[in-house]
Structures are given as C-alpha cells and as structure tokens.
Amino acid sequence: MRTNTKTTAKPMPRTRMLSAVAGVSALLVLTGCGAADMTKQASPFAGVQGAKTVTLSVQSWVGAQANVAVAQYLLEHELGYRVDTVQVDEVPAWDALSQGRIDAILEDWGHPDEEQRYVKDKKTIAPGGDLGVTGHIGWFVPTYFARQHPDVTNWKNLNKYADQLRTAESGSKGQLLDGSPSYVTNDKALVANLDLDYQVVFAGSEAAQITQIRQFAKEKKPFLTYWYTPQWLFEKVPMTEVKLPAYKEGCDADPKKVVCAYPHTPLQKYLNADFARGGGEAAAFLKNFKWTTEDQNEVSLMIADQKLTPEEAAKKWVAGHKPTWKAWLPK
C-alpha cells in the first residue's frame, strides 16, 4: 500500500447532493457496494448546500478502508447521514478535495507540496487532525529467515543474500518486492544509490503483494519486500525490518539521490475547507475521529483475512468499542 511519505507524492487511496441528481447517481456513484473513480468523475452528492450527506475518499489499502468503513457506519447509524465513497489515487484526491468533489481524506501519509498549495496558499483544504496512527514504510524479510541469518537485517549485508532472494522476475539479481506501480517509492533509487544487487519487482497491487508474501511464507522461502506499518499481515506473517541508513530530515529531498530510510509519519486527516466550516455534525465527527493502530488492524484483519464486508467489520468493531467511538460524536 504505500508511497513515499515526504517528498514525491504517491498515489494511494479516500465520499455528497440530492433529488436534482438522483437520476444520475446510479451512473456516477457506487455507494456501499463499491467506489467510483474520481479521476474520471465526481460524486453528484458532493458540495450540495444543506444536504445531510458526506463524501469520503477511500484509498486502495485495507487500513484506509478500515478508517472509512467505521466512519461511514457511525455517520449513517448514529448521526443519520448518507455517506458516499469514492476511490482515487492520492495526489488526485487532494485536487478533488480542494474542489469540493469529496469532503474528507482520512489517511494521508504526507504530501508537502499539496499541503503548501491547498492548505497554506489557497486555503481550500483544512487540516482535520491526527488519525492516531503512525505510519512507517520499510524493507522487511520474514522473521523465520532473519532468525536463521541475523545479519540480513542490516542493508550492508543484503548483497550477501541476493542469490537466495532471486526469482524468475528479478533475473540474475535479488528481488525487492513492491506493491502497485502507482505507489511512488524511493526503492529504485535506494537500490541504485546503495549499490545493491537487487531488482525492484512490482506485484501490481497490495492484494497481489499480500498473496505473494503469503505464498512465500507457506513455502518458508526467503523474501525481501517493501512493506509498511500498521498492517494486519504482520499477525499472519511475522516480518523483521531491514535497517537502512538512518532517516534525517531532508535526506529524501531529492528522490534520485536518496540514501536513507523512510520516516515515521503521524497519519493525518484533511477536510475540504468549506466542509470543515459548514459541515455540521459530520465535520465535527470526522475531526474527532481518532483511533489506535490496534483498532485499525482489528478492522483490517476482519476485512482482509476474515473476509467480512467493510460494513460487517465496522458493525462488529463498533459493537465492542462503544467508549472509544462515543467520544467522537459531537456534544
């Protein structure tokens, strides 16, 4: 799921109108059952004055889907809103949020350029506060392999294991498994700048990457993968992080020259500025929405591993965590 958190923005994932557009809603919005592609169209429910509706952006990775599922469930069942969700890559989501085509992004991993443009300069987007979860991207090997070869957890020793980490896709080099090509990462630059005998191979999506990791683990094969926390998969496939050169502020300012680890990033929420001011109980609720890594992973696990629908997972979490979500409701 992820992307570079500080410099270049990576596409990842984030749902409002009324009777006048009812006839086109079926064409433009998938509510409850799916998500519309906001790079091609807008939700007809976005931006309608006085409508008790909310449009949330939902990213492609399951942790972000967990945020939206719980927020949607509570907005609908506790506050009486209609909630629509749309799926859009990370940078286009900022554009859509600025234009009022969506109301909120619930999990942002850091986009300084967009923050400067829309929050500070244009003031069309307002900060929505901390999500309560800290995100971190890194390189990981399975813990069973790290126990056999403890020195693999230092990047300086990775070339020693390149032969063991080769695949058909990586050719004569070791494989560094990444997720979606749409995620902007530092991995290719890190491989080149650290002189590592590895080839970055894209699985195609988070789901495909998870499938590959689980297959490797089932066969107890070694692998090296770009991965991130928080993520429910660690409960099924324990992984150990490879130490890259320490992150320092600004060390990734030039993506082509980066030679440092990814930062730890407190994940943020952002609201359309007009919605933040006039969105009533929905805006207040989304500003209050703040949970833990454990909460997010609990819902993510239900969706991705137990195969519950997002609504089912949200309902189950809500039933067991009343004191947590009651604090989010407007007073």
Side-chain angles (χ1 to χ4, degrees):
M1 150 223 91
R2 268 324 153 317
T3 166
N4 181 353
T5 59
K6 281 305 224 185
T7 53
T8 51
K10 85 174 192 282
M12 284 176 136
R14 294 136 267 258
T15 319
R16 218 171 258 133
M17 198 168 158
L18 278 194
S19 56
V21 297
V24 298
S25 64
L27 295 176
L28 297 182
V29 179
L30 295 172
T31 63
C33 299
D37 181 356
M38 284 293 291
T39 61
K40 299 183 176 66
Q41 57 207 17
S43 166
F45 298 95
V48 176
Q49 296 299 318
K52 199 169 170 96
T53 57
V54 181
T55 307
L56 300 177
S57 172
V58 54
Q59 297 99 321
S60 63
W61 59 94
V62 69
Q65 293 166 7
N67 304 326
V68 172
V70 170
Q72 178 175 359
Y73 186 89
L74 290 168
L75 282 165
E76 292 178 344
H77 291 84
E78 294 294 324
L79 297 177
Y81 281 81
R82 166 176 176 157
V83 179
D84 296 297
T85 62
V86 292
Q87 184 168 312
V88 57
D89 287 345
E90 275 185 289
V91 174
W94 279 80
D95 299 332
L97 187 63
S98 173
Q99 296 162 14
R101 292 187 286 136
I102 57 176
D103 293 319
I105 295 169
L106 298 186
E107 182 173 313
D108 183 79
W109 283 62
H111 293 87
D113 292 344
E114 282 68 34
E115 290 175 43
Q116 182 66 45
R117 180 180 305 118
Y118 294 126
V119 178
K120 297 177 183 178
D121 295 342
K122 292 188 175 183
K123 295 179 171 53
T124 53
I125 292 177
D130 288 347
L131 176 63
V133 176
T134 295
H136 174 60
I137 297 167
W139 292 0
F140 292 84
V141 293
T143 299
Y144 55 77
F145 188 64
R147 286 173 178 164
Q148 294 171 345
H149 307 281
D151 62 339
V152 75
T153 59
N154 187 315
W155 71 270
K156 295 178 180 179
N157 300 317
L158 283 176
N159 282 345
K160 175 180 174 181
Y161 297 97
D163 287 346
Q164 295 185 57
L165 295 168
R166 271 196 323 232
T167 67
E169 290 76 16
S170 66
S172 62
K173 298 177 179 293
Q175 174 176 278
L176 171 56
L177 182 65
D178 273 36
S180 170
S182 69
Y183 298 166
V184 178
T185 77
N186 294 333
D187 288 357
K188 288 186 176 180
L190 283 168
V191 166
N193 297 335
L194 295 176
D195 197 24
L196 297 176
D197 190 25
Y198 284 79
Q199 176 71 38
V200 175
V201 176
F202 292 97
S205 67
E206 181 189 63
Q209 190 176 9
I210 288 172
T211 297
Q212 184 65 78
I213 289 172
R214 297 189 83 162
Q215 185 61 39
F216 281 138
K218 182 179 179 180
E219 299 172 6
K220 284 290 187 281
K221 290 184 177 180
F223 62 85
L224 174 66
T225 189
Y226 160 105
W227 205 232
Y228 54 92
T229 61
Q231 228 292 336
W232 64 270
L233 186 63
F234 285 102
E235 295 191 28
K236 299 296 179 178
V237 182
M239 289 181 273
T240 301
E241 186 169 5
V242 174
K243 293 181 180 179
L244 294 169
Y247 176 84
K248 295 180 181 179
E249 189 68 33
C251 68
D252 53 359
D254 185 343
K256 295 180 180 179
K257 297 180 180 179
V258 62
V259 289
C260 61
Y262 294 91
H264 289 78
T265 305
L267 304 182
Q268 301 295 307
K269 299 167 295 177
Y270 287 94
L271 310 181
N272 171 270
D274 290 336
F275 174 73
R277 288 188 294 266
E281 289 186 323
F285 167 81
L286 292 173
K287 291 173 186 176
N288 292 339
F289 184 102
K290 185 175 183 178
W291 62 352
T292 65
T293 296
E294 292 72 24
D295 290 325
Q296 188 188 84
N297 279 341
E298 183 178 343
V299 179
S300 298
L301 193 64
M302 287 189 276
I303 295 172
D305 189 63
Q306 300 173 21
K307 306 304 180 186
L308 272 65
T309 67
E311 183 177 11
E312 291 169 341
K315 182 179 180 179
K316 188 172 181 179
W317 184 88
V318 165
H321 297 79
K322 191 172 183 178
T324 299
W325 60 261
K326 275 288 187 180
W328 305 339
L329 299 180
K331 305 301 183 186

